[in-house]
Amino acid sequence: MRIIVQKFGGTSVASPEVRELVLHKVKRAREQGFSPVVVVSAMGRKGAPYATDTLIGIAQSAFKQIAARELDQIMYCGEMISAVVMAGTLQAAGLEAVMLTGGNAGIVTDANFNNARILKSDPARIICLLRQGKVPVVCGFQGMTNEGEFTTLGRGGSDTTASVLGAALNAELVEIYTDVDGIMTADPRIVDNARILDCISYAEVCQLAHQGAKVIHPRAVEIAMQKNIPLVVKSTFSDAPGTLITNIAKEDISNAVVIDRVATGVTYLTNLVQIKVQLAGTTASDASYKVFKTLADSDISVDLINVHPGQIMFTINADHTDKAAEKLKQQGYQIEVLANCAKVSVVGGGMREVPGVMANFIEALSNNTIAILQTVDSHTSISALVPQNDVGAAVKSLHEKFGLSN
Ligand code: ADP
Ligand code: ASP
Ligand code: MG
């Protein structure tokens, strides 16, 4: 059996007209000799009646502090509705489609509600349906604990469902259908002349995704990478070939150029605050352990960490500002909070040991009088914290400076 997993995001299942396009993609896969497994997200984006954001709004507008377990029980409903409607669409066209929840599809998770980790994936039921010539239509984003509780896999987690099933079924390919023609050098909502990347390595796309490119969930990439399952990100709305995500080192020589590109893309993360902790009279290492332990105990993750004698700087998600400030003040620390920050990053598998990358990065921002509040770099990325108001200008100028524009 040649198995293909086809995942359709929110905009790809939002209306009857678009669901016809999905039907066409599923039929074509069958004509090409594949046994397709369909994974769907909740229908539409923010504002649509059954979109995940709408469901969260229903719970949180009335009950701001609603517990994570209860929030999951409303969040997973969007994918239920979507999978039923999609299965109905396929059935109406004569295909034997069977709607499955994440639990039905064998996805077992821990009980970390809202961001559950997958413990195992047992594809037996899906294999049985495929052998009977049926088309499983699986709710993305969902898992189930060993105790039978519904969980969700973190925002954007339908991609993770697709990858997990692809890995468990040893699929030939996982297709991630969305509303853009592939992974681009920057978010096309910010940069008009961003380019589609024909192919990209798992490592590069992981970096892009972790640094904010919402086009694919980083865990989906990590899971596919572990089993070397190729992923293709492509559009439901066109026949463009999309972006192949693979272990490029194993591909043919024509892809070798990809490994060497200094910059692959520019990404951004918003809704951050910078916190500076003053360390009077303590050693940096002793105090930083206590500061970071305090935050870890409060379940707050930190990023962009700089530790200096006398001061520690880091960023957190703005939603955790009050909690972090309260906990650190309780420990007697003097802190400064700078709100409305964003992180911009240039990602590239080939930037290691290339002179001038940092100079270009700084020049692009300073030429546009964008304040650099902090920087951090790794062998495949350079990032800066900038005022959130400047994030669009920062992304555009870095995209231009690193030669990524069309
Ligand atoms: P879906 O609902 O199909 O999963 P998402 O909204 O999660 O769709 O992801 C697709 C969106 O990701 C695109 O509409 C695009 O605006 C955004 N995006 C952000 N960064 C990139 C990028 N580097 N390349 C392509 N799309 C990007
Ligand atoms: N519907 C979920 C979300 O909006 C999962 C997904 O779309 O991937 O986060
Ligand atoms: Mg998505």
Side-chain angles (χ1 to χ4, degrees):
M1 217 164 17
R2 296 178 61 200
I3 299 176
I4 188 169
V5 177
Q6 299 183 295
K7 178 259 166 175
F8 297 91
T11 47
S12 303
V13 290
S15 69
E17 295 74 31
V18 189
R19 291 192 287 273
E20 284 301 309
L21 300 177
V22 172
L23 168 66
H24 185 68
K25 306 276 183 202
V26 174
K27 275 185 167 169
R28 198 165 56 191
R30 278 163 67 99
E31 283 155 20
Q32 289 168 346
F34 286 106
S35 298
V37 176
V38 175
V39 175
V40 289
S41 291
M43 296 192 278
R45 288 228 172 94
K46 208 171 189 151
Y50 311 116
T52 309
D53 283 306
T54 310
L55 301 172
I56 293 173
I58 292 170
Q60 286 191 335
S61 57
F63 314 104
K64 186 93 193 86
Q65 301 303 332
I66 194 162
R69 177 182 175 279
E70 277 55 45
L71 193 57
D72 260 0
Q73 308 316 300
I74 192 163
M75 270 208 283
Y76 81 71
C77 295
E79 271 67 14
M80 290 295 215
I81 296 167
S82 179
V84 169
V85 170
M86 201 61 238
T89 305
L90 300 185
Q91 287 168 3
L95 298 178
E96 282 192 84
V98 180
M99 181 272 196
L100 299 177
T101 65
N104 293 156
I107 297 175
V108 180
T109 71
D110 63 15
N112 185 20
F113 294 103
N114 303 177
N115 197 16
R117 284 263 152 192
I118 295 168
L119 301 176
K120 71 169 190 200
S121 171
D122 174 1
R125 185 155 174 196
I126 293 184
I127 290 172
C128 184
L129 292 170
L130 293 177
R131 287 209 177 110
Q132 294 164 12
K134 297 184 177 167
V135 183
V137 180
V138 183
C139 298
F141 187 47
Q142 293 179 356
M144 186 160 275
T145 65
N146 278 317
E147 290 71 41
E149 295 263 30
F150 274 94
T151 53
T152 64
L153 307 178
R155 295 306 307 272
S158 297
D159 297 335
T160 311
T161 306
S163 263
V164 161
L165 295 181
L169 293 159
N170 215 359
E172 206 167 302
L173 187 64
V174 174
E175 293 182 322
I176 305 287
Y177 282 96
T178 183
D179 61 349
V180 284
D181 277 342
I183 297 178
M184 304 176 81
T185 48
D187 186 344
R189 280 185 262 198
I190 302 255
V191 179
D192 295 340
N193 57 2
R195 279 188 292 112
I196 302 280
L197 297 157
D198 298 337
C199 59
I200 185 168
S201 67
Y202 292 116
E204 282 177 307
V205 82
C206 256
Q207 271 284 356
L208 285 174
H210 277 299
Q211 299 302 344
K214 294 215 166 67
V215 63
I216 188 161
H217 198 291
R219 268 158 77 190
V221 183
E222 279 154 11
I223 291 164
M225 178 162 62
Q226 281 167 27
K227 282 202 80 183
N228 215 358
I229 309 274
L231 298 168
V232 175
V233 176
K234 61 202 309 195
S235 172
T236 303
F237 305 86
S238 79
D239 281 324
T243 304
L244 174 66
I245 307 172
T246 179
N247 185 357
I248 284 174
K250 290 182 78 181
E251 293 294 303
D252 68 19
I253 197 75
S254 62
N255 284 332
V257 65
V258 174
I259 304 167
D260 272 345
R261 61 190 168 204
V262 173
T264 304
V266 182
T267 57
Y268 63 97
L269 280 164
T270 53
N271 201 32
L272 303 176
V273 299
Q274 183 192 50
I275 299 191
K276 290 184 187 163
V277 184
Q278 306 306 337
L279 309 175
T282 45
T283 66
S285 53
D286 188 34
S288 52
Y289 166 72
K290 285 187 194 138
V291 166
F292 294 123
K293 178 84 171 71
T294 304
L295 295 166
D297 289 345
S298 314
D299 239 359
I300 298 172
S301 43
V302 290
D303 189 22
L304 269 166
I305 301 162
N306 292 148
V307 178
H308 302 287
Q311 191 185 59
I312 303 173
M313 273 192 283
F314 54 88
T315 58
I316 60 170
N317 185 293
D319 300 347
H320 298 138
T321 312
D322 292 347
K323 189 157 124 189
E326 184 196 319
K327 296 287 174 189
L328 291 170
K329 282 181 190 158
Q330 272 171 10
Q331 298 287 320
Y333 290 111
Q334 215 189 322
I335 63 166
E336 246 176 75
V337 176
L338 183 65
N340 301 320
C341 298
K343 181 183 180 187
V344 285
S345 306
V346 175
V347 170
M351 69 170 57
R352 184 177 18 198
E353 289 174 23
V354 175
V357 177
M358 189 52 134
N360 281 338
F361 185 92
I362 303 282
E363 195 187 359
L365 298 180
S366 45
N367 279 352
N368 286 278
T369 58
I370 295 168
I372 298 173
L373 306 167
Q374 241 180 293
T375 62
V376 71
D377 64 277
S378 74
H379 62 286
T380 53
S381 68
I382 302 182
S383 307
L385 192 71
V386 298
Q388 183 148 303
N389 281 342
D390 291 332
V391 73
V395 170
K396 282 182 197 147
S397 61
L398 290 167
H399 195 264
E400 198 63 45
K401 186 78 188 172
F402 281 85
L404 294 170
S405 299
N406 263 322

